[in-house]
Amino acid sequence: MTNENRIETTLIHEGYSSKEFSDSLSPPIFQSSTYVFDTAEQGEMRFRGEEKGFIYSRLGNPTVRILEERMAVLEKGEAALAFGSGMAAVSAVLFHLIKSESHILCSRGVYGCTFGLLEMLEDKFSVTHTFSSMQTADDIEAAITDMTTCIYIETPINPTMELIDIELVSRVAKKVGIPVVVDNTFCSPFLQNPLDLGADYVIHSATKYISGHGDVIAGIVVGKNKEEIQKMRMTVQKDIGGIISPFDAWLLLRGLKTLHVRMDRHVENTRKLANYLKGHPLIEDVIYPGDPDSPHYSIMKKQMRTAGGMISFLVKGGKKEAQAFMNRLKLIKIAVSLGDAETLIQHPATMTHAVVPPKTRDAMGITENMLRLSVGLESVDDLIDDIDQALLD
């Protein structure tokens, strides 16, 4: 396997050779906490990094390593780390990049738990953060301070579906030597590769599209620089310990094999649903970057292969009307998370972003009548029928 393979092939084969593991077609699950050394000297050499080999599964595991190598190639990076949750991945990158009294510049919106982490960093360690629309170079430059140690962005932003021009942000950041971190969860590496656009780190909540089946909690970090990822492995990951289990890594490897097939259906269903919702008289607005009328359409065409499997939309009315609509749905499930085979709907203001103060939510563009839809793999006609009856009931 090389970086020259097309992504559909990489998803299935990268990082694994059956010849190395008794000709097993599926990668084995190495359910071991520790590894045996032939001699005391060998153990000493491995701890010093002078010999390859595994030591202890918090420091590395063969099944996990296959996943990390595959994700690194998929995201066009030099190395990757797998974690026990998406938030463990977010935390690891930020702890790697910050010090006391640092400043983090963020996109206008972020996931609710990321917001909670930022608040905790400020309360406990005086690490401040500010939000910026990042629509122009002037916006970004004006928000950078002498203490800014990284720029952290989501694109598309959860749940407002706003897009950030990764290339623009990276270009400004490079002028002052600040690393750029991109949460790529909404896209997966099949739709967007931030490292190719100048970012330094990519984060995934692998719970979502990487898994695709709603049965794993996991996170991934991919870095442009192998040495920085190794530093993160031997400091933040080793000492805080937010590692992934071998079985969960195996489930993610299984999920990756169908990512391209699943994403094609997610994308097609989403496009049809967006068109349906856009013309409905009881829908105030549809927020979908694949809509040619969207203010973010040009950025989508520039940096994403296609618009993805997520829609946000505004029901006419407020919180009461939005929740009543949700309660009338029969096929679509009310649940947080995304990227599963099932179509999921949630009310961000009271669910994923409930921790965000109302004034901050308003500034992020999260209204009381906003709903976020993760479009699944069902028949799109059945999904439209379900939405239609819930809107008309």
Side-chain angles (χ1 to χ4, degrees):
M1 289 294 299
T2 71
N3 286 6
E4 298 175 359
N5 285 286
R6 292 171 176 82
I7 190 168
E8 294 88 349
T9 303
T10 300
L11 285 164
I12 296 170
H13 293 285
E14 183 63 42
Y16 179 67
S17 170
S18 59
K19 293 297 181 185
E20 296 178 19
F21 299 101
S22 303
D23 296 322
S24 173
L25 180 64
S26 179
I29 302 171
F30 285 84
Q31 197 67 40
S32 180
S33 60
T34 195
Y35 302 86
V36 176
F37 309 125
D38 291 335
T39 65
E41 291 78 12
Q42 183 186 52
E44 180 182 3
M45 291 173 66
R46 288 190 186 178
F47 268 98
R48 290 204 304 254
E50 297 171 1
E51 178 183 285
K52 290 184 177 180
F54 295 94
I55 298 170
Y56 187 67
S57 276
R58 179 158 46 82
L59 310 179
N61 172 280
T63 311
V64 174
R65 193 59 52 84
I66 295 167
L67 171 65
E68 291 172 340
E69 290 179 4
R70 191 165 297 180
M71 285 300 305
V73 173
L74 287 168
E75 279 291 12
K76 315 296 183 66
E78 289 191 357
L81 292 176
F83 292 86
S85 71
M87 284 309 303
V90 173
S91 302
V93 172
L94 292 183
F95 275 112
H96 177 65
L97 295 175
I98 63 172
K99 56 185 178 180
S100 179
E101 299 185 352
S102 290
H103 170 253
I104 303 169
L105 177 59
C106 303
S107 52
R108 188 168 84 113
V110 291
Y111 171 50
C113 290
T114 302
F115 179 87
L117 173 64
L118 293 169
E119 291 285 291
M120 181 173 66
L121 290 174
E122 184 160 347
D123 289 344
K124 291 183 177 294
F125 307 112
S126 299
V127 175
T128 61
H129 61 275
T130 54
F131 296 102
S132 167
S133 65
M134 299 189 187
Q135 294 303 299
T136 68
D138 289 342
D139 289 338
I140 303 164
E141 290 170 356
I144 293 173
T145 75
D146 292 340
M147 297 303 291
T148 304
T149 54
C150 71
I151 299 178
Y152 183 97
I153 63 177
E154 291 180 6
T155 182
I157 294 174
N158 181 9
T160 60
M161 302 304 298
E162 296 176 19
L163 301 190
I164 303 295
D165 188 330
I166 300 170
E167 194 173 40
L168 170 66
V169 173
S170 299
R171 186 167 64 248
V172 174
K174 294 300 178 288
K175 290 181 182 178
V176 289
I178 298 172
V180 175
V181 182
V182 179
D183 185 332
N184 200 30
T185 298
F186 270 31
C187 287
S188 86
F190 188 64
L191 299 186
Q192 181 172 267
N193 297 119
L195 298 185
D196 269 355
L197 299 166
D200 299 281
Y201 298 93
V202 176
I203 296 171
H204 288 276
S205 173
T207 309
K208 280 68 173 184
Y209 288 112
I210 304 301
S211 165
H213 294 80
D215 51 13
V216 181
I217 300 291
I220 301 286
V221 174
V222 182
K224 182 176 286 186
N225 184 285
K226 186 176 182 178
E227 286 71 28
E228 289 299 309
I229 292 293
Q230 183 62 12
K231 288 179 186 176
M232 199 185 308
R233 182 189 300 279
M234 298 309 295
T235 55
V236 180
Q237 189 180 56
K238 175 178 73 71
D239 296 332
I240 296 180
I243 62 167
I244 191 173
S245 74
F247 180 64
D248 284 349
W250 182 85
L251 285 173
L252 293 181
L253 286 166
R254 186 175 67 167
L256 277 172
K257 290 182 179 182
T258 61
L259 177 64
H260 54 303
V261 181
R262 290 186 283 107
M263 290 306 298
D264 283 344
R265 173 57 70 87
H266 285 303
V267 166
E268 181 63 14
N269 279 358
T270 303
R271 182 185 62 80
K272 292 178 179 178
L273 266 180
N275 288 336
Y276 159 76
L277 289 167
K278 188 177 179 182
H280 201 288
L282 296 180
I283 299 298
E284 180 181 309
D285 194 17
V286 177
I287 310 166
Y288 170 61
D291 182 353
D293 295 329
S294 166
H296 302 285
Y297 184 73
S298 61
I299 298 178
M300 186 281 293
K301 296 290 287 184
K302 174 183 177 181
Q303 67 189 27
M304 296 169 65
R305 294 182 181 92
T306 188
M310 302 293 297
I311 308 172
S312 287
F313 61 96
L314 310 183
V315 175
K316 285 188 176 178
K319 172 183 170 182
K320 178 181 176 181
E321 287 76 15
Q323 291 184 332
F325 161 73
M326 294 170 70
N327 290 337
R328 289 192 293 266
L329 292 166
K330 297 176 181 178
L331 175 64
I332 296 170
K333 308 302 181 186
I334 301 173
V336 296
S337 199
L338 57 107
D340 292 344
E342 298 85 359
T343 297
L344 307 178
I345 194 166
Q346 65 106 0
H347 185 242
T350 59
M351 294 182 180
T352 54
H353 290 70
V355 67
V356 182
K359 287 185 178 180
T360 307
R361 282 202 306 267
D362 290 342
M364 290 180 176
I366 302 170
T367 62
E368 292 287 321
N369 63 336
M370 175 182 282
L371 297 174
R372 192 194 74 185
L373 191 69
S374 170
V375 183
L377 307 179
E378 304 95 340
S379 163
V380 71
D381 292 331
D382 290 334
L383 297 174
I384 289 173
D385 287 347
D386 193 31
I387 293 173
D388 201 46
Q389 66 81 25
L391 285 170
L392 296 176
D393 194 338

